[in-house]
Amino acid sequence: MPTFKDATSLQAFLNSQRTGNNTVGFVPTMGALHKGHLALVTSALSQNEIVVVSIFVNPTQFGNAGDLKNYPRTLSKDEALLKTLHNDIIVFAPNAEDLYNGNITSNSYNFGAIANEMEGKYRQGHFNGVGTVLELLFDIVKPDYAYFGEKDFQQLQIVRKLISLTKQPVTIVGCPIYRENSGLAMSSRNERLSKECRDASAFIYKTLQKVKEDFKYKSARQLNEWVKSEFDKQEALELEYFEIANIDTLKTIKRKHKNNKYRAFIAVFVEAVSYTHLTLPTICSV
Ligand code: PAF
């Protein structure tokens, strides 16, 4: 399984592999791979002859230096995990200076109103960082398909918008959330939780499920109040935001409309000292 550190040798290798109707599937990651990532790679493997996984902790999308520093980096373990899926997965693990051509800064994109909601509001500059690194990676890998998890549903919508802005010829594929047995969405950041807090985090999904159930007969305002009061009782969990939003506009709903689709979004700090952040959306429709 080849691992490339520089773009030129990756591109030379990809050019030698691209023949006939072969398609390239691409899974961009920040490493510390878990089953959620592996599910994305499995989808890519089932739909493409060539699969590239990038492993790159992207500095421009972090607003918090501590979070960037503590983000888990486990390249050899990641390579071994990918090998359990397929021998020919191509890994691209560049260093920041090379990928950014010595200029590690974000472009400024006009993603429109969806970028002002939730993560855009709470983590200024985050989506510009994500957009910048993906534009660079798509230029290098030139994938036909790129795979993203719905755990970061807003990111998925932003990536679709990015493609419409840059006109890069790649089809974006959204894949369902992959959860631990407790219901906690798989995330590389879960690795930083103590066993106690990881167990306590199961409460997040339980709450989302109850919201989904009650959405049929309760208003968004009632549900917001209920979620806040439930989190107030949780010592290990600090609610950052909870919103029920339209899945297209990502605008918080004031009133339910028939035939509109909604999703509940939640961000919670667990063990605030180590700044762990989890976004766990679930679907709600009337
Ligand atoms: O979702 C992630 O892991 C990152 O935001 C991504 C898409 C790999 C860009 O760095």
Side-chain angles (χ1 to χ4, degrees):
M1 192 178 72
T3 294
F4 294 92
K5 299 257 177 202
D6 73 287
T8 316
S9 42
L10 171 73
Q11 282 177 317
F13 184 76
L14 283 175
N15 288 341
S16 73
Q17 302 293 302
R18 259 187 259 255
T19 49
N21 291 329
N22 276 1
T23 57
V24 176
F26 178 40
V27 183
T29 81
M30 298 206 296
L33 302 183
H34 49 69
K35 287 189 186 144
H37 292 115
L38 298 189
L40 298 179
V41 178
T42 303
S43 299
L45 283 166
S46 71
Q47 291 164 2
N48 303 275
E49 289 72 24
I50 304 165
V51 170
V52 181
V53 176
S54 64
I55 295 180
F56 177 68
V57 182
N58 174 35
T60 62
Q61 72 186 75
F62 285 79
N64 178 301
D67 194 27
L68 173 61
K69 185 166 162 272
N70 292 327
Y71 202 88
R73 289 160 173 87
T74 56
L75 182 60
S76 352
K77 206 171 142 206
D78 293 344
E79 287 170 321
L81 269 177
L82 290 172
K83 223 176 167 162
T84 63
L85 292 184
H86 202 284
N87 240 338
D88 297 334
I89 295 168
I90 300 160
V91 175
F92 182 43
N95 74 47
E97 285 292 323
D98 289 348
L99 184 65
Y100 277 86
N101 263 320
N103 179 22
I104 307 178
T105 52
S106 292
N107 303 331
S108 189
Y109 297 94
N110 184 3
F111 292 125
I114 52 166
N116 302 330
E117 307 295 331
M118 299 181 286
E119 294 300 292
K121 200 153 52 191
Y122 287 87
R123 273 163 275 287
Q124 296 278 327
H126 172 71
F127 287 133
N128 278 330
V130 171
T132 307
V133 78
L134 289 177
E135 188 175 354
L136 288 167
L137 289 168
F138 290 155
D139 261 352
I140 294 166
V141 178
K142 301 198 177 6
D144 299 283
Y145 299 93
Y147 297 78
F148 294 86
E150 287 187 349
K151 176 173 75 67
D152 302 304
F153 190 78
Q154 190 175 12
Q155 169 173 279
L156 174 62
Q157 303 288 55
I158 290 282
V159 177
R160 293 203 159 107
K161 186 77 198 178
L162 175 76
I163 294 309
S164 75
L165 293 172
T166 61
K167 310 268 186 279
Q168 288 168 301
V170 46
T171 301
I172 304 303
V173 186
C175 302
I177 298 173
Y178 207 85
R179 296 184 184 279
E180 296 185 3
N181 286 340
S182 69
L184 183 65
M186 298 253 176
S187 162
S188 307
R189 287 186 172 93
N190 294 356
E191 297 308 315
R192 286 164 49 196
L193 298 178
S194 64
K195 160 101 180 60
E196 220 180 348
C197 284
R198 200 154 169 163
D199 291 347
S201 303
F203 178 79
I204 302 169
Y205 186 52
K206 276 205 195 103
T207 309
L208 289 175
Q209 280 180 309
K210 180 90 178 99
V211 165
K212 185 172 177 174
E213 228 174 277
D214 291 358
F215 189 68
K216 292 176 204 111
Y217 53 89
K218 282 194 178 157
S219 71
R221 196 171 58 88
Q222 282 171 318
L223 290 169
N224 276 319
E225 280 165 13
W226 178 75
V227 169
K228 278 198 189 90
S229 71
E230 288 301 297
F231 272 91
D232 281 348
K233 295 179 214 153
Q234 296 295 315
E235 257 178 41
L237 312 176
E238 191 195 322
L239 182 66
E240 186 176 32
Y241 63 78
F242 168 77
E243 298 199 9
I244 300 175
N246 180 296
I247 62 164
D248 298 315
T249 62
L250 299 185
K251 283 227 168 307
T252 309
I253 57 160
K254 301 241 162 22
R255 192 166 301 188
K256 291 185 253 183
H257 291 282
K258 260 221 147 21
N259 303 325
N260 276 9
K261 285 214 165 160
Y262 303 105
R263 213 168 237 257
F265 296 85
I266 193 162
V268 177
F269 287 105
V270 188
E271 299 184 308
V273 190
S274 65
Y275 187 79
T276 296
H277 157 250
L278 309 158
T279 314
L280 303 165
T282 190
I283 195 94
C284 293
S285 49
V286 250

Coordinates of all heavy atoms in Angstrom, one line a residue, residues 15-76:
N15 N -1.4 9.1 -12.3 CA -1.5 9.1 -13.8 C -1.2 7.7 -14.4 O -1.8 7.3 -15.3 CB -0.5 10.1 -14.3 CG -1.0 11.5 -14.1 OD1 -2.2 11.7 -13.8 ND2 -0.1 12.5 -14.1
S16 N -0.2 7.0 -13.7 CA 0.1 5.7 -14.2 C -1.1 4.7 -14.0 O -1.2 3.6 -14.7 CB 1.4 5.1 -13.6 OG 1.1 4.8 -12.3
Q17 N -1.9 5.0 -13.0 CA -3.0 4.0 -12.7 C -4.3 4.3 -13.4 O -5.1 3.5 -13.6 CB -3.3 4.2 -11.2 CG -2.2 3.9 -10.2 CD -1.8 2.4 -10.3 OE1 -2.6 1.5 -10.0 NE2 -0.6 2.2 -10.7
R18 N -4.4 5.6 -13.8 CA -5.7 6.0 -14.4 C -5.7 5.6 -15.9 O -5.1 6.1 -16.7 CB -5.8 7.6 -14.5 CG -6.7 8.2 -13.4 CD -6.8 9.6 -13.6 NE -5.9 10.4 -12.7 CZ -6.3 11.0 -11.6 NH1 -7.6 11.1 -11.4 NH2 -5.5 11.6 -10.9
T19 N -6.5 4.5 -16.1 CA -6.6 4.0 -17.5 C -8.1 3.8 -17.8 O -8.9 3.5 -16.9 CB -5.9 2.7 -17.7 OG1 -6.3 1.8 -16.6 CG2 -4.4 2.8 -17.7
G20 N -8.5 3.8 -19.0 CA -9.8 3.5 -19.5 C -10.9 4.3 -18.6 O -10.7 5.5 -18.4
N21 N -11.8 3.5 -18.1 CA -12.9 4.2 -17.3 C -12.7 4.2 -15.8 O -13.6 4.4 -15.1 CB -14.2 3.5 -17.6 CG -14.7 3.8 -19.1 OD1 -14.3 4.9 -19.6 ND2 -15.4 2.9 -19.7
N22 N -11.4 3.9 -15.4 CA -11.1 3.8 -14.0 C -11.5 5.1 -13.3 O -11.2 6.2 -13.8 CB -9.6 3.7 -13.7 CG -9.2 2.2 -13.8 OD1 -10.0 1.4 -14.0 ND2 -7.9 2.0 -13.6
T23 N -12.2 5.0 -12.2 CA -12.5 6.3 -11.4 C -11.7 6.3 -10.1 O -11.3 5.3 -9.6 CB -14.0 6.4 -11.1 OG1 -14.4 5.3 -10.3 CG2 -14.8 6.5 -12.3
V24 N -11.4 7.6 -9.7 CA -10.7 7.8 -8.5 C -11.6 8.2 -7.4 O -12.3 9.2 -7.5 CB -9.6 8.9 -8.7 CG1 -8.9 9.2 -7.3 CG2 -8.6 8.4 -9.7
G25 N -11.7 7.5 -6.3 CA -12.5 7.9 -5.1 C -11.5 8.4 -4.1 O -10.4 7.9 -3.9
F26 N -12.0 9.5 -3.4 CA -11.1 10.2 -2.5 C -11.7 10.4 -1.1 O -12.9 10.8 -1.1 CB -10.7 11.6 -3.1 CG -9.8 12.4 -2.3 CD1 -8.7 11.9 -1.5 CD2 -10.0 13.8 -2.2 CE1 -7.9 12.7 -0.8 CE2 -9.2 14.6 -1.4 CZ -8.1 14.0 -0.7
V27 N -11.0 10.0 -0.1 CA -11.5 10.2 1.3 C -10.6 11.1 2.0 O -9.5 10.7 2.5 CB -11.7 8.9 2.0 CG1 -12.3 9.2 3.4 CG2 -12.6 7.9 1.2
P28 N -10.9 12.4 2.1 CA -10.0 13.3 2.9 C -10.2 13.2 4.4 O -11.3 13.1 4.8 CB -10.4 14.7 2.4 CG -11.6 14.6 1.5 CD -12.0 13.2 1.6
T29 N -9.1 13.0 5.1 CA -9.3 12.8 6.6 C -8.2 13.6 7.3 O -7.2 14.0 6.7 CB -9.1 11.3 7.0 OG1 -7.7 11.0 7.1 CG2 -9.8 10.4 6.1
M30 N -8.3 13.7 8.6 CA -7.2 14.3 9.4 C -6.6 13.2 10.2 O -5.9 13.4 11.2 CB -7.8 15.4 10.3 CG -8.3 16.5 9.5 SD -8.3 18.1 10.3 CE -9.4 17.8 11.7
G31 N -6.8 11.9 9.8 CA -6.1 10.8 10.4 C -6.8 10.4 11.7 O -8.0 10.7 12.0
A32 N -6.1 9.6 12.6 CA -6.6 9.0 13.8 C -7.9 8.2 13.3 O -9.0 8.5 13.8 CB -6.9 10.0 14.9
L33 N -7.7 7.4 12.3 CA -8.9 6.8 11.7 C -9.7 5.9 12.6 O -9.1 5.2 13.5 CB -8.4 6.0 10.5 CG -7.6 6.8 9.4 CD1 -7.3 5.8 8.2 CD2 -8.4 8.0 8.9
H34 N -11.0 5.9 12.4 CA -11.9 5.0 13.2 C -12.8 4.4 12.3 O -12.8 4.6 11.0 CB -12.6 5.8 14.3 CG -13.2 7.1 13.8 ND1 -14.3 7.1 13.0 CD2 -12.9 8.4 14.0 CE1 -14.6 8.3 12.7 NE2 -13.8 9.1 13.3
K35 N -13.8 3.6 12.8 CA -14.7 2.9 11.9 C -15.5 3.8 11.0 O -16.0 3.4 10.0 CB -15.6 2.0 12.8 CG -14.9 0.8 13.3 CD -15.9 -0.2 14.0 CE -15.1 -1.3 14.7 NZ -15.8 -1.7 15.9
G36 N -15.8 5.0 11.5 CA -16.5 5.9 10.7 C -15.8 6.2 9.4 O -16.3 6.2 8.3
H37 N -14.4 6.5 9.5 CA -13.6 6.7 8.3 C -13.6 5.5 7.5 O -13.7 5.6 6.2 CB -12.2 7.0 8.7 CG -12.0 8.3 9.4 ND1 -11.5 8.4 10.7 CD2 -12.1 9.6 9.0 CE1 -11.4 9.7 11.1 NE2 -11.8 10.4 10.0
L38 N -13.4 4.3 8.1 CA -13.3 3.1 7.4 C -14.6 2.8 6.5 O -14.6 2.3 5.4 CB -13.0 1.9 8.3 CG -11.7 2.0 9.0 CD1 -11.4 0.7 9.7 CD2 -10.5 2.4 8.1
A39 N -15.7 3.3 7.1 CA -17.0 3.1 6.3 C -17.0 4.0 5.1 O -17.5 3.6 4.0 CB -18.2 3.5 7.2
L40 N -16.4 5.2 5.2 CA -16.3 6.1 4.0 C -15.3 5.4 3.0 O -15.6 5.4 1.8 CB -15.7 7.4 4.4 CG -16.4 8.3 5.4 CD1 -15.7 9.6 5.6 CD2 -17.8 8.6 4.8
V41 N -14.2 4.9 3.5 CA -13.3 4.2 2.5 C -13.9 3.0 1.9 O -13.7 2.8 0.7 CB -12.0 3.8 3.3 CG1 -11.0 3.1 2.3 CG2 -11.3 5.1 3.9
T42 N -14.7 2.3 2.7 CA -15.4 1.1 2.1 C -16.4 1.5 1.0 O -16.4 0.9 -0.1 CB -16.2 0.3 3.2 OG1 -15.2 0.0 4.2 CG2 -16.8 -0.9 2.7
S43 N -17.1 2.6 1.2 CA -18.0 3.1 0.1 C -17.1 3.5 -1.1 O -17.5 3.2 -2.2 CB -18.7 4.4 0.5 OG -19.5 4.1 1.6
A44 N -16.0 4.2 -0.9 CA -15.1 4.6 -2.0 C -14.6 3.3 -2.7 O -14.6 3.3 -4.0 CB -14.0 5.4 -1.5
L45 N -14.3 2.3 -2.0 CA -13.7 1.1 -2.6 C -14.8 0.4 -3.4 O -14.5 -0.2 -4.5 CB -13.2 0.1 -1.5 CG -11.9 0.4 -0.9 CD1 -11.7 -0.4 0.4 CD2 -10.7 0.1 -1.9
S46 N -16.1 0.5 -3.0 CA -17.1 -0.2 -3.7 C -17.5 0.5 -5.0 O -18.1 -0.1 -5.9 CB -18.3 -0.4 -2.8 OG -19.0 0.8 -2.6
Q47 N -17.1 1.8 -5.1 CA -17.5 2.5 -6.3 C -16.4 3.0 -7.2 O -16.7 3.6 -8.3 CB -18.3 3.8 -5.8 CG -19.6 3.4 -5.2 CD -20.2 4.6 -4.4 OE1 -19.7 5.7 -4.3 NE2 -21.4 4.3 -3.7
N48 N -15.2 2.7 -6.9 CA -14.0 3.2 -7.7 C -12.9 2.1 -7.8 O -12.8 1.3 -6.8 CB -13.4 4.4 -7.0 CG -14.4 5.5 -6.8 OD1 -14.7 6.3 -7.7 ND2 -15.0 5.6 -5.6
E49 N -12.2 2.2 -8.8 CA -11.0 1.3 -9.0 C -9.8 1.8 -8.2 O -9.0 1.0 -7.7 CB -10.6 1.1 -10.5 CG -11.7 0.4 -11.3 CD -12.9 1.2 -11.6 OE1 -12.9 2.4 -11.5 OE2 -14.0 0.6 -11.9
I50 N -9.7 3.1 -8.1 CA -8.6 3.7 -7.4 C -9.1 4.5 -6.2 O -10.0 5.3 -6.3 CB -7.8 4.6 -8.3 CG1 -7.4 3.9 -9.6 CG2 -6.6 5.3 -7.7 CD1 -6.9 4.8 -10.7
V51 N -8.5 4.2 -5.0 CA -9.0 5.0 -3.8 C -7.8 5.6 -3.1 O -6.7 5.0 -2.9 CB -9.7 4.0 -2.8 CG1 -10.0 4.7 -1.5 CG2 -11.0 3.6 -3.5
V52 N -7.9 6.9 -2.9 CA -6.9 7.7 -2.2 C -7.5 8.2 -0.9 O -8.6 8.7 -0.9 CB -6.5 9.0 -3.1 CG1 -5.4 9.8 -2.4 CG2 -6.0 8.6 -4.5
V53 N -6.7 8.1 0.2 CA -7.1 8.6 1.5 C -6.0 9.6 1.9 O -4.8 9.3 1.9 CB -7.1 7.5 2.5 CG1 -7.4 8.1 3.9 CG2 -8.2 6.4 2.2
S54 N -6.4 10.8 2.1 CA -5.4 11.8 2.6 C -5.5 11.9 4.1 O -6.5 11.7 4.7 CB -5.6 13.2 2.0 OG -6.8 13.7 2.4
I55 N -4.3 12.0 4.7 CA -4.2 12.1 6.2 C -3.4 13.4 6.4 O -2.2 13.4 6.2 CB -3.5 10.8 6.7 CG1 -4.4 9.6 6.5 CG2 -3.2 11.0 8.2 CD1 -3.8 8.3 7.0
F56 N -4.1 14.4 6.9 CA -3.5 15.7 7.0 C -4.2 16.5 8.1 O -5.4 16.8 7.9 CB -3.4 16.4 5.7 CG -2.8 17.8 5.8 CD1 -1.5 17.9 6.0 CD2 -3.6 18.9 5.6 CE1 -0.9 19.2 6.2 CE2 -3.1 20.2 5.7 CZ -1.7 20.3 6.0
V57 N -3.6 16.8 9.2 CA -4.2 17.7 10.2 C -4.0 19.1 9.7 O -2.9 19.6 9.7 CB -3.6 17.4 11.6 CG1 -4.3 18.3 12.6 CG2 -3.7 16.0 12.0
N58 N -5.1 19.7 9.3 CA -5.1 20.9 8.5 C -5.0 22.1 9.5 O -6.1 22.5 10.1 CB -6.3 21.0 7.6 CG -6.4 22.4 7.0 OD1 -5.4 23.0 6.6 ND2 -7.6 22.9 6.8
P59 N -3.9 22.8 9.6 CA -3.8 23.9 10.6 C -4.8 25.1 10.4 O -5.2 25.7 11.3 CB -2.3 24.4 10.4 CG -1.8 23.9 9.2 CD -2.7 22.7 8.8
T60 N -5.1 25.3 9.1 CA -6.0 26.6 8.9 C -7.4 26.4 9.3 O -8.1 27.4 9.3 CB -5.9 27.0 7.4 OG1 -6.5 25.9 6.6 CG2 -4.5 27.3 6.9
Q61 N -7.8 25.2 9.7 CA -9.2 25.1 10.1 C -9.4 25.0 11.6 O -10.5 24.9 12.1 CB -9.9 23.8 9.4 CG -9.5 22.5 10.0 CD -10.0 21.4 9.1 OE1 -9.6 21.1 8.0 NE2 -11.0 20.7 9.7
F62 N -8.3 25.2 12.3 CA -8.3 25.2 13.8 C -8.3 26.6 14.3 O -7.4 27.3 14.0 CB -7.2 24.4 14.4 CG -7.3 22.9 14.2 CD1 -7.0 22.3 13.0 CD2 -7.7 22.1 15.3 CE1 -7.1 20.9 12.9 CE2 -7.8 20.7 15.2 CZ -7.5 20.1 14.0
G63 N -9.3 26.9 15.1 CA -9.2 28.3 15.7 C -8.5 28.2 17.1 O -8.1 29.3 17.6
N64 N -8.3 27.0 17.6 CA -7.7 26.9 18.9 C -6.4 26.1 18.8 O -6.4 25.0 18.4 CB -8.8 26.1 19.7 CG -8.3 25.8 21.2 OD1 -7.3 25.2 21.4 ND2 -9.1 26.3 22.1
A65 N -5.3 26.8 19.2 CA -4.0 26.2 19.1 C -3.8 24.9 19.9 O -3.2 24.0 19.5 CB -2.9 27.3 19.5
G66 N -4.5 24.9 21.1 CA -4.4 23.7 21.9 C -5.0 22.5 21.2 O -4.5 21.4 21.3
D67 N -6.2 22.8 20.6 CA -6.9 21.7 19.9 C -6.0 21.1 18.8 O -5.9 19.9 18.6 CB -8.2 22.2 19.4 CG -9.2 21.1 18.9 OD1 -9.1 20.0 19.5 OD2 -10.0 21.4 18.1
L68 N -5.4 22.0 18.0 CA -4.5 21.6 16.9 C -3.3 20.8 17.4 O -3.0 19.7 16.9 CB -4.0 22.9 16.2 CG -2.9 22.6 15.1 CD1 -3.4 21.7 14.0 CD2 -2.5 24.0 14.5
K69 N -2.7 21.3 18.5 CA -1.6 20.6 19.1 C -2.0 19.2 19.6 O -1.2 18.2 19.4 CB -1.0 21.4 20.2 CG 0.3 20.9 20.8 CD 0.9 22.0 21.7 CE 2.0 21.3 22.6 NZ 1.4 20.8 23.9
N70 N -3.1 19.1 20.2 CA -3.5 17.8 20.9 C -4.3 16.9 19.9 O -4.6 15.8 20.3 CB -4.5 18.1 22.0 CG -3.8 18.8 23.2 OD1 -2.6 18.5 23.4 ND2 -4.5 19.7 23.9
Y71 N -4.5 17.3 18.7 CA -5.2 16.5 17.7 C -4.4 15.2 17.5 O -3.2 15.3 17.3 CB -5.5 17.2 16.4 CG -6.6 16.5 15.7 CD1 -7.9 17.0 15.9 CD2 -6.4 15.5 14.8 CE1 -9.0 16.4 15.3 CE2 -7.5 14.9 14.1 CZ -8.8 15.3 14.4 OH -9.8 14.7 13.8
P72 N -5.0 14.0 17.7 CA -4.2 12.8 17.6 C -3.6 12.6 16.2 O -4.2 12.8 15.2 CB -5.2 11.6 17.9 CG -6.6 12.2 17.8 CD -6.4 13.7 18.0
R73 N -2.3 12.2 16.2 CA -1.6 11.9 14.9 C -1.0 10.5 15.0 O -0.1 10.2 15.8 CB -0.5 12.9 14.7 CG -1.0 14.3 14.4 CD 0.1 15.4 14.7 NE -0.3 16.7 14.2 CZ -1.0 17.6 15.0 NH1 -1.5 17.3 16.1 NH2 -1.3 18.8 14.5
T74 N -1.5 9.6 14.2 CA -1.2 8.1 14.3 C -1.0 7.5 13.0 O -1.7 6.5 12.7 CB -2.4 7.4 15.1 OG1 -3.6 7.7 14.4 CG2 -2.6 7.9 16.5
L75 N -0.1 8.0 12.2 CA 0.0 7.6 10.8 C 0.2 6.1 10.6 O -0.5 5.5 9.8 CB 1.1 8.4 10.0 CG 1.3 8.1 8.6 CD1 0.0 8.3 7.8 CD2 2.4 8.8 8.0
S76 N 1.1 5.5 11.3 CA 1.4 4.0 11.1 C 0.2 3.2 11.5 O -0.2 2.2 10.8 CB 2.6 3.5 11.8 OG 3.3 4.5 12.4

